[in-house]
Amino acid sequence: MEEGKVPPDLFSLSEDNPEGQKEDTGNFVLSGGGRLGSGGGVSVDLATSVPDEDEAVQNVAARFRKKNDFVVSEESLDTADAGDQMSDAELQDFVLDALDAEPEPEEVSETMRVDVEHTGKIDADVRSEAQVEPQVTCPHCSASNPPGMKFCVQCGGSLSVTKDGTEEKREIPPASELSRKENPWAIALVSINEDGSDGVEIPLQFLETTIGRDGDTRFPTDAFLSPKHARLHVEKGDLFIEDLYSLNGTFLKLRDEVRLTPGDTFLMGRQVLRFERFEQAITPKTKSSDGTRYMGSPSPGGSYKVLQIGIGGIVQNVYCLPESGAVLGREKGDIIFPHDKFMSSRHAQIYTGDDGHCYLVDLNSSNGTWIKIWERTKLHNSDFIFMGQQLFRIQSTAKK
């Protein structure tokens, strides 16, 4: 079986409507949307188990195969140096010396990271030292959010409440008059067929187009699409997309590296991953209320982590990111997902730039790396967007 292949049920049209029917109103209706491996429907299913049939796994990848323009070193970021290892006698002396040593009065620069969310409890004096605000739980999907967030990093739902204690709903902005104003530029969405070839071309007839199970361009059988999922805007010949607070999000395929901020969600293979900062930091000299010092694994040195998100926003696994970053993949790297047949051997990399910020870059993977958009985003010719189980390529020609 060839590496990085994905099954071919990513997009399908109903037998009653093989070409996609365009209504008199200018709306476009497509049918299709079964889960991966269910035998009916569309594309990348990121939340269900991988189908057992090798043939299905082989056929799907052609849809996403797209090479990037950059090449990154094959070496892992977490290579151990055998010369740094201690002998048994040296290790015993080191531990005994550490236990007998008096605490030093000066502050230690190195920090340990304590993830309150997953360790559960920490003494009150440690919490007061770090002055950490509690995380905010989303009332929609129960995902944890960093303090100060107004909207959920997982589902985009409102985290705010009104003065009377009721939830402040985040309303989907209604379509404007531009949704019936003709688009003079030749811009279209091209769906991707099961074999990776171009499928139905959906011209954007108006300056504003809403996509969803119930929109201007409709996919009524795609259960992973929200009723009004995303909206496309044409402005002076340029195309923009915004997510309409959809449950599962709208994703853009990476062309180049992208800067990560806490709460960013990205897709690799079948993995839904979220980039977050550690909630609490304490020094190795910190003691509990009765004077006992904390014992724990050595700190990885970094300030961030990657969360593996399951169905319903449940955190399945937490991966600590070293300060230098990490390579993610199916077989090679610092964080691996050995059972994900949709992921390349070395799929993507998170690294720390010279400016101190973390960046995500695809390593020429077969199926690409996808970032969730949070705000109106400009699209370019040949960009790929993914929502629900629908995969599209942007096709834009010169202005009229």
Side-chain angles (χ1 to χ4, degrees), residues 202-243:
I202 308 171
L204 300 182
Q205 295 186 340
F206 302 102
L207 296 180
E208 186 176 284
T209 303
T210 300
I211 300 175
R213 294 201 318 272
D214 181 16
D216 302 320
T217 298
R218 299 195 295 272
F219 300 85
T221 61
D222 188 345
F224 294 94
L225 279 177
S226 295
K228 289 181 173 56
H229 195 103
R231 184 167 290 154
L232 295 166
H233 303 267
V234 180
E235 300 178 3
K236 298 180 180 179
D238 293 324
L239 182 62
F240 296 82
I241 187 171
E242 65 172 330
D243 184 83

Side-chain angles (χ1 to χ4, degrees), residues 113-120 278-280 305 307 318:
R113 307 295 173 180
V114 178
D115 187 345
V116 180
E117 177 185 350
H118 300 288
T119 56
F278 280 100
E279 291 81 10
Q280 184 156 354
K305 58 186 175 180
L307 277 58
V318 179

Side-chain angles (χ1 to χ4, degrees), residues 94-129:
F94 173 79
V95 173
L96 292 175
D97 290 343
L99 293 175
D100 293 338
E102 292 293 331
E104 299 179 9
E106 64 271 18
E107 191 70 26
V108 180
S109 59
E110 180 186 3
T111 59
M112 293 170 55
R113 307 295 173 180
V114 178
D115 187 345
V116 180
E117 177 185 350
H118 300 288
T119 56
K121 186 177 180 182
I122 189 168
D123 286 344
D125 63 330
V126 178
R127 186 182 296 276
S128 61
E129 283 186 19

